[in-house]
Amino acid sequence: MTTRPDPATTADVFRDPAPSRRTWRRLVGHLDVLAVVAVGGALGSTGRYLVGLALPTPAAGVPWGTLLANVTGCLALGALLVFVLDLWRPTRYLRPFLGVGVLGGYTTFSAVTVEALDLVRAGAWPVAFGYLAGSALVGLLAAWLGVTLARTVIRSAQQRRANR
């Protein structure tokens, strides 16, 4: 027999209080940013889909299209954050559009998880775990490389300007 928790001792996680007017005003004040993220996400997702078409996944093999999209997305995000945070003046739309929208739509951890699960179901355990670990490690390395390359480009441009 299943017993229900005592409501007096358990937080009521199923009842959402009505959002306050302040919350609605704050949300409405960000609709423009939400629209920019949505447009960027549509562009990034389209790019990822095209990469997947160009590099189809072999049966019980490494999903190279997803891996390529995630690694290049990590590289681009690392570089982008250096430019957005260290070099360019802050804008309301650039980081949400490129970082959250385009690159968020282009990269995907959920596909990595589903593809790894498919590999496990196909009996390709070593490939699945290599793909999961490799995706994480190579993604981190790519992000670090993006940051390093962007900082190198900025330093080089600053030195050229100083030598003029």
Side-chain angles (χ1 to χ4, degrees):
M1 179 164 108
T2 305
T3 60
R4 292 185 173 196
D6 179 13
T9 60
T10 307
D12 190 357
V13 294
F14 300 107
R15 184 180 301 167
D16 272 340
S20 67
R21 285 187 180 151
R22 183 175 164 198
T23 301
W24 282 112
R25 271 182 273 162
R26 201 171 349 162
L27 177 65
V28 169
H30 291 283
L31 288 178
D32 57 334
V33 175
L34 181 61
V36 166
V37 169
V39 169
L43 293 172
S45 298
T46 301
R48 185 193 168 296
Y49 177 74
L50 294 173
V51 169
L53 286 179
L55 296 169
T57 301
V62 175
W64 293 109
T66 303
L67 185 63
L68 177 67
N70 285 340
V71 170
T72 56
C74 288
L75 178 80
L77 186 60
L80 174 70
L81 289 178
V82 169
F83 287 106
V84 168
L85 298 175
D86 296 349
L87 187 65
W88 298 332
R89 288 182 318 136
T91 69
R92 181 170 172 89
Y93 302 116
L94 185 65
R95 188 171 171 186
F97 175 72
L98 291 175
V100 178
V102 174
L103 293 175
Y106 180 67
T107 60
T108 173
F109 183 73
S110 58
V112 170
T113 305
V114 170
E115 290 165 344
L117 185 58
D118 289 343
L119 289 166
V120 168
R121 286 184 185 140
W125 289 81
V127 176
F129 287 110
Y131 177 54
L132 283 172
S135 292
L137 292 174
V138 175
L140 285 170
L141 181 63
W144 171 81
L145 185 60
V147 167
T148 302
L149 288 173
R151 287 183 176 155
T152 301
V153 166
I154 290 169
R155 260 188 257 113
S156 175
Q158 289 171 339
Q159 286 174 352
R160 276 194 308 261
R161 243 183 275 130
N163 290 336
R164 285 186 197 179

